């Protein structure tokens, strides 16, 4: 953590902006990844997520979806399903996935899910259509899991283990990654029976213990310190070289404005994957093309503010602790704007 802190301090300084600008200019021509929030509904009610506060909920209708995909496929890139809701709750999810097969320009497809609906009905669709799966598993202990996420641990566990078995046996297994935010220490998590079961299969695991401040404030929408006091019975979260604390003060241009385009279920394009409440709308794909929004005046002006290191003039960015400097673009994309071959997931 300490080494990463100082590395970021150096690479996010203005001294290195010149090394990122050419790639950023290339990425500003077209979104190499499209994040589709095909529904912002979610069956989980995670204690650290403000999604239950949403009032305008729905699912993307097929005509709009087809319009977006037809437009995106002109140049193509990565499609990622899910960011503010649970995409497998969309009743037309399988149809939406199959529609992508019409376009060879769609290079990669991903879905992020809480695994509650990752059952025998949908798993064949994912594997047959090469949809890589990222699972927000979080807590490993049943009691804590159900307290935090308000859904059945047994259903999620059974779905995950069956999916991993089927994927292991597949002729062309999909990539699987687990995000685990745990109240347990790293050592106790690694020793946990479920963790050991996961590692026996073809997958990767991102482990971020809660006491290392892995919870986000959702740009000030969530009081995570109150959560730590209540859930962890302590506010003794790691502060020295804390990446979240650095994120809140970092003035480097944020990678989100070049990394991908985030599309809300109603077709509106929002600033980034933190903008759950659509506070900064760049345009709407019901009326505009992807290129018109991506290269248009609204986003261009916001990028200029970032480049000038005026991040805090953008309201949603003022309290964001997920801010990552644009040098992270180099971990996702090569100099010509193509996806890095070593990358299993664009997240």
């Amino acid at each position: 953590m300490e080494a990463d802190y100082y590395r970021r301090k150096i690479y996010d300084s203005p001294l290195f902006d010149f090394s990122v600008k050419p790639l950023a200019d290339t990425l500003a021509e077209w979104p190499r990844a499209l994040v589709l929030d095909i529904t912002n509904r979610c069956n989980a009610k995670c204690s650290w997520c403000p999604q239950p506060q949403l009032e305008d909920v729905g699912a993307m209708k097929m005509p709009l979806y087809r319009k977006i995909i037809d437009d995106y496929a002109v140049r193509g890139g990565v499609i990622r399903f899910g960011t503010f809701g649970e995409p497998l709750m969309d009743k037309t999810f399988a149809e939406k996935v199959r529609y992508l097969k019409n376009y060879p320009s769609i290079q990669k497809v991903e879905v992020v899910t809480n695994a509650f609906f990752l059952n025998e009905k949908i798993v064949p669709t994912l594997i047959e259509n090469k949809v890589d799966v990222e699972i927000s598993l979080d807590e490993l202990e049943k009691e804590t899991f159900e307290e935090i996420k308000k859904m059945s641990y047994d259903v999620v566990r059974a779905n995950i283990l069956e999916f991993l078995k089927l994927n292991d046996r597949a002729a062309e297994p999909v990539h699987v990654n687990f995000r685990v935010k745990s109240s347990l220490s790293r050592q106790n998590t690694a020793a946990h029976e479920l963790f050991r079961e996961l590692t026996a299969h073809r997958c990767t695991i991102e482990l971020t213990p809660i006491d290392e401040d892995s919870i986000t404030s959702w740009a000030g929408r969530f009081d995570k310190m109150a959560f730590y006091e209540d859930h962890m019975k302590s506010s003794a979260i790691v502060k020295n070289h804390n990446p979240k604390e650095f994120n809140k003060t970092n003035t480097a241009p944020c990678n989100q404005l070049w990394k991908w385009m985030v599309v809300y279920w109603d077709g509106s394009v929002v600033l980034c994957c933190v903008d759950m409440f659509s506070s900064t709308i760049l345009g709407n794909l019901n009326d505009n093309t992807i290129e018109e929004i991506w290269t248009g005046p609204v986003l261009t002006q916001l990028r200029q503010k970032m480049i000038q290191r005026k991040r805090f003039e953008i309201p949603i960015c003022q309290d964001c602790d997920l801010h990552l400097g644009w040098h992270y673009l180099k971990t996702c994309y090569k100099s010509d704007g193509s996806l890095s071959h070593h990358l299993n997931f664009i997240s």
Side-chain angles (χ1 to χ4, degrees), residues 88-332:
L88 299 188
M89 288 186 72
D90 181 356
K91 295 179 180 179
T92 62
F93 177 80
E95 183 181 356
K96 287 182 167 89
V97 167
R98 288 191 291 267
Y99 189 74
L100 299 176
K101 302 300 289 184
N102 295 319
Y103 295 109
S105 61
I106 304 300
Q107 305 160 10
K108 189 177 186 305
V109 185
E110 304 173 358
V111 62
V112 56
T113 175
N114 60 38
F116 186 85
F117 298 100
L118 190 67
N119 52 39
E120 69 281 357
K121 294 180 180 179
I122 197 63
V123 165
T125 298
L126 298 174
I127 296 176
E128 290 165 14
N129 291 278
K130 299 180 176 62
V131 180
D132 294 329
V133 181
E134 193 155 41
I135 298 172
S136 296
L137 177 57
D138 302 322
E139 298 286 358
L140 301 183
E141 292 284 351
K142 177 176 179 175
E143 182 178 353
T144 312
F145 179 96
E146 294 187 343
E147 174 192 348
I148 289 293
K149 299 182 76 73
K150 309 297 188 293
M151 65 179 182
S152 171
Y153 173 89
D154 293 333
V155 168
V156 170
R157 178 193 171 97
N159 283 350
I160 287 172
L161 295 180
E162 183 60 24
F163 164 59
L164 289 173
K165 290 176 186 175
L166 292 172
N167 192 50
D168 285 348
R169 294 199 295 263
E172 295 183 64
V174 298
H175 291 117
V176 181
N177 183 57
F178 289 91
R179 298 176 181 178
V180 180
K181 290 194 291 285
S182 175
S183 303
L184 303 174
S185 66
R186 286 182 179 271
Q187 182 178 2
N188 289 340
T189 300
H192 194 278
E193 165 267 334
L194 178 55
F195 189 93
R196 293 200 305 271
E197 282 217 52
L198 298 180
T199 56
H201 296 277
R202 190 190 300 262
C203 68
T204 55
I205 303 175
E206 293 177 30
L207 175 58
T208 52
I210 291 176
D211 65 5
E212 293 180 13
D213 196 15
S214 59
I215 306 299
T216 177
S217 69
W218 287 96
R221 287 273 185 172
F222 177 68
D223 185 351
K224 66 180 185 180
M225 295 313 295
F227 170 81
Y228 291 145
E229 289 278 6
D230 181 54
H231 179 62
M232 302 293 290
K233 309 305 180 190
S234 169
S235 59
I237 305 302
V238 174
K239 289 295 182 183
N240 289 335
H241 310 109
N242 183 330
K244 289 287 198 306
E245 292 297 311
F246 179 68
N247 294 345
K248 289 192 293 186
T249 60
N250 187 6
T251 60
C254 181
N255 79 123
Q256 290 266 334
L257 280 70
W258 291 267
K259 180 181 178 181
W260 52 27
M261 174 182 276
V262 181
V263 185
Y264 217 56
W265 68 271
D266 61 1
S268 55
V269 177
V270 297
L271 183 61
C272 67
C273 68
V274 177
D275 199 359
M276 182 183 292
F277 292 84
S278 303
S279 67
T280 309
I281 296 178
L282 310 176
N284 194 297
L285 293 176
N286 281 287
D287 310 308
N288 309 112
T289 67
I290 289 169
E291 186 173 17
E292 284 171 346
I293 296 174
W294 191 250
T295 63
V298 177
L299 187 49
T300 298
Q301 289 170 14
L302 290 170
R303 289 191 183 119
Q304 282 302 312
K305 279 189 180 294
M306 285 288 180
I307 292 170
Q308 295 165 9
R309 295 185 170 251
K310 296 179 180 179
R311 159 199 171 180
F312 296 106
E313 292 184 10
I314 304 172
I316 193 174
C317 302
Q318 292 170 0
D319 295 312
C320 182
D321 61 2
L322 283 183
H323 176 99
L324 288 178
W326 63 347
H327 81 267
Y328 276 94
L329 294 170
K330 292 183 175 181
T331 67
C332 299

Side-chain angles (χ1 to χ4, degrees), residues 8-31:
R8 291 183 62 195
K9 290 273 285 187
I10 294 170
Y11 283 112
D12 280 338
S13 73
L15 294 173
F16 286 90
D17 284 354
F18 78 94
S19 69
V20 186
K21 185 67 162 54
L23 173 58
D25 288 344
T26 297
L27 296 175
E29 297 170 1
W30 182 258

